[in-house]
Amino acid sequence: MRIRALTMRIYRQFMRDRRTLALLFVAPLFILTLVYCIFGGTASAPKIGTVGLPDTTAGALRASSAVVVPYDSAAAARSALDDRKVDAVLAVTDGKPALLLEGSDPSRSRAVLLSVSAMQRTASAALFQPEIAYLHGKPGMSSFDAFGPVMIGFFSFFFVFLLAGVAFLRERTTGTMERLMATPIRRHEIVLGYLGGFGLFAILQSALVACFAIYALGMFMTGSIWLILLVNLLLTLTALTLGTLLSAFAGSEFQIIQFVPIVIVPQAFFSGLFPLDGMAAWLHKLTYLMPLYYGGDALRGIMIRGEGFRGIGIDVAVLLGFSLLFAALNVVALKKQRAI
C-alpha cells in the first residue's frame, strides 16, 4: 500500500506539471523532426563558376555532379565567389587553367575537388590540370577550424543562458527580488543592474573561451581578436537577457533546464554547425530568428574569411537588436512582481 501511495503521488505530480510532460513527450519529437529536416534531405552539388572553359570540359564537369555556372569575365566570377554564390571558380586564362576555391567550408572544398577529379578522369579532360588556390582558409583545413568559430559562440551562449536563468530565478525564489521591489527602484534600473552584475562574468567567460580556442588550441584565425570579443560580447548579452526573461516563467531551476530543448537545441541546429543545404527553403528561413545564427556567421566571417567590421555589420546590428528587445521584455516581465 505504501508503494502504491508513493507511486500515485508521483503520478499526480507529473500530471499536474504540464511543462514536464511536454519535456518528456513533445520535446524529443520536436528535436527528432529538426534532425530529420536537416539531415533527411540530399546534399546539394557544389557550384563551380567557370570562365573560358571549353564546352567539352564543361560538359565533363557537369557529368561529375557539379553545378556549372558560366561567367563572361573573371571579375564577375570573382565577385560571385566573394559573395559565396559559388564554391569555386575554374577559369582558363591564356590557355592556363586555374581553380580558386572559396575555402571557408572544408566539406564544400572537398566536394569541388572531387568533381574536378572526376572530370579529369574523362577522355575529354584527361590533360586538364588546373592550378589550385584558396580564397579563404588553407589546404587541408580541418573541420574543427571550420566549425570552431560557431562552437565558440555556442558555448558562450549556452552557459551564459543557464547562468543567467538560474541565478535570476534564485533571486526571486529566495525573496531577494521581492524585497528589492519594495524599494523605490524602477524596473529598468533593476534590469540594468542585474545585467551589469551578471554581464561582467559573462564577458570574462566569453573572452576566456575565445582566447583559449585561438591561442591554446590553435584554431584557424585571420581576423581581429577584438572583433571576435565584440561579437562574443553581444552573444553573451543576448543569452543573458534571454535567460533572465525566461526565468520569469519558471518556478524552479529544473524548469529553467526545461527551456534548453526548446531554446538552445534549435539554436545549435540552425547556427551553421550542420549543413542546411538539404533543408526546405521555408524551414531555412527560421535561421533568421536565431541569435546564434548571426553570431556564428560573424565569427566565421572574422576568423576564416578575415572580414572587418563592415562585413559583419548586419550580424552585429541584429545581435544588438535582440539584446535590446529581450532587455525591454524583461522590464515588462517585472510587472509580475510589482507595477512601479
Side-chain angles (χ1 to χ4, degrees):
M1 289 298 294
R2 289 191 293 267
I3 295 176
R4 179 176 179 275
L6 180 59
T7 301
M8 292 303 297
R9 183 180 67 82
I10 296 175
Y11 169 78
R12 286 191 290 267
Q13 285 179 344
F14 269 96
M15 293 303 296
R16 287 194 295 265
D17 191 347
R18 296 181 180 179
R19 189 175 300 176
T20 299
L21 291 176
L23 178 67
L24 285 174
F25 300 111
V26 178
L29 304 183
F30 171 68
I31 294 173
L32 280 175
T33 303
L34 286 180
V35 172
Y36 168 77
C37 292
I38 292 173
F39 297 103
T42 57
S44 63
K47 294 182 180 180
I48 303 177
T50 60
V51 181
L53 199 67
D55 292 339
T56 55
T57 306
L61 188 60
R62 289 189 179 92
S64 66
S65 301
V67 177
V68 177
V69 185
Y71 290 95
D72 296 330
S73 66
R78 177 59 182 266
S79 177
L81 189 65
D82 288 334
D83 294 336
R84 286 175 281 167
K85 295 179 179 178
V86 294
D87 301 308
V89 171
L90 183 59
V92 178
T93 306
D94 298 330
K96 296 180 180 180
L99 177 66
L100 180 60
L101 294 147
E102 197 275 334
S104 62
D105 187 343
S107 63
R108 304 299 294 177
S109 298
R110 285 192 292 268
V112 170
L113 293 174
L114 286 174
S115 295
V116 173
S117 178
M119 175 199 70
Q120 291 171 326
R121 289 194 292 269
T122 64
S124 60
L127 301 178
F128 193 86
Q129 300 292 332
E131 180 181 349
I132 299 175
Y134 287 76
L135 180 63
H136 304 297
K138 59 183 179 180
M141 189 171 72
S142 67
S143 297
F144 176 72
D145 290 322
F147 301 132
V150 184
M151 294 298 296
I152 290 175
F154 175 77
F155 284 132
S156 298
F157 191 94
F158 175 64
F159 289 110
V160 170
F161 173 83
L162 287 182
L163 164 71
V166 172
F168 201 73
L169 175 67
R170 191 172 298 156
E171 294 287 285
R172 290 175 42 238
T173 56
T174 58
T176 303
M177 181 64 68
E178 183 178 354
R179 292 191 295 271
L180 188 61
M181 295 294 286
T183 69
I185 192 170
R186 296 187 176 277
R187 291 192 301 271
H188 72 274
E189 294 173 334
I190 294 176
V191 171
L192 292 177
Y194 276 105
L195 292 183
F198 293 141
L200 174 62
F201 295 96
I203 292 170
L204 293 175
Q205 185 253 20
S206 62
L208 175 64
V209 171
C211 292
F212 180 80
I214 295 169
Y215 298 115
L217 301 182
M219 188 179 294
F220 185 83
M221 171 71 170
T222 60
S224 168
I225 183 63
W226 298 108
L227 288 179
I228 295 293
L229 296 178
L230 171 64
V231 173
N232 242 20
L233 167 63
L234 293 175
L235 261 180
T236 54
L237 285 178
T238 304
L240 190 60
T241 51
L242 180 59
T244 54
L245 175 62
L246 293 181
S247 70
F249 304 96
S252 65
E253 285 86 350
F254 178 65
Q255 290 184 355
I256 288 291
I257 303 300
Q258 291 175 342
F259 285 116
V260 171
I262 306 300
V263 177
I264 301 298
V265 173
Q267 298 268 350
F269 282 136
F270 290 97
S271 64
L273 285 175
F274 306 102
L276 304 177
D277 299 328
M279 184 185 297
W282 66 269
L283 192 58
H284 192 276
K285 295 184 185 301
L286 290 178
T287 57
Y288 303 124
L289 301 176
M290 307 292 174
L292 197 55
Y293 164 77
Y294 299 96
D297 182 65
L299 291 171
R300 293 184 72 176
I302 297 167
M303 298 181 68
I304 299 178
R305 296 187 290 273
E307 293 179 348
F309 186 81
R310 179 178 297 181
I312 63 170
I314 295 178
D315 295 320
V316 168
V318 173
L319 287 175
L320 182 60
F322 272 122
S323 298
L324 294 175
L325 173 62
F326 295 147
L329 292 176
N330 267 289
V331 175
V332 176
L334 284 178
K335 288 183 177 180
K336 296 177 60 177
Q337 301 290 330
R338 173 175 63 88
I340 299 180

